[in-house]
Amino acid sequence: QVQLVESGGGLVQVGGSLRLSCAVSRRTLSSFRMGWFRQAPGKEREFVAGIGWSSGRTTYADSVKGRFTISIDNAKNTGYLQMNSLKPEDTGVYYCAADPRGLYGLEYRANQYDYWGQGTQVTVSS
C-alpha cells in the first residue's frame, strides 16, 4: 500500500506564496506519476498540476500556469507544489495523488489515480 502525506497548507494573503509537500511511502517511484488537485467548498475536485516521476514532464491547469510549479525530489520521495501570486480563487483543500502508470503519460482525471493524500487546506485572504 502506498501512503501519501501532505503538508504546507495555511493562510496567506493575496499575492503570497506557499509550498505544498507530498511525501510518498514507496521506495521505488520511477514508474509513477503524481498529480495535485484542489476542491473548493461546493465545487468539484479539479486538476491543478501533474508530473511524471522519471520523465519530469509536467502539465498544468490553465488557471495556474505561470504561477504554480510542480516538482519532485527523488532522494526524498517527495513531490512539491510551489504556489506563487496566490489569488482568492486558489482557496480550497489541496490533495496530492499518485499512481504507477506514469510510463503511459500524464493524467488530469482524478479517477485515474490510485493513491491519495489526506488533503491540506489553503486559504487565500483578500
Side-chain angles (χ1 to χ4, degrees):
Q1 184 71 7
V2 178
Q3 292 184 327
L4 283 66
V5 179
E6 298 146 358
S7 60
L11 174 64
V12 65
Q13 291 187 334
V14 170
S17 298
L18 282 175
R19 189 178 79 157
L20 306 183
S21 300
C22 178
V24 186
S25 63
R26 185 183 172 96
R27 289 185 63 184
T28 305
L29 293 165
S30 58
S31 65
F32 273 62
R33 57 193 173 194
M34 174 174 281
W36 285 93
F37 292 78
R38 67 187 181 189
Q39 189 166 19
K43 294 188 177 181
E44 293 187 355
R45 190 171 299 188
E46 65 173 354
F47 173 79
V48 174
I51 188 168
W53 203 273
S54 59
S55 69
R57 290 176 56 210
T58 59
T59 185
Y60 297 91
D62 288 343
S63 58
V64 307
K65 280 181 182 177
R67 300 188 298 121
F68 291 12
T69 303
I70 187 173
S71 63
I72 56 174
D73 184 331
N74 272 307
K76 296 181 178 180
N77 282 7
T78 299
Y80 302 97
L81 184 68
Q82 177 67 44
M83 305 185 295
N84 298 329
S85 302
L86 283 161
K87 305 175 181 180
E89 52 264 43
D90 295 318
T91 295
V93 179
Y94 282 69
Y95 300 89
C96 64
D99 80 83
R101 293 175 289 276
L103 298 180
Y104 294 98
L106 303 180
E107 181 58 63
Y108 63 91
R109 294 171 293 179
N111 62 9
Q112 297 299 304
Y113 287 86
D114 296 335
Y115 309 106
W116 289 83
Q118 79 283 3
T120 185
Q121 177 70 43
V122 172
T123 303
V124 184
S125 65
S126 56

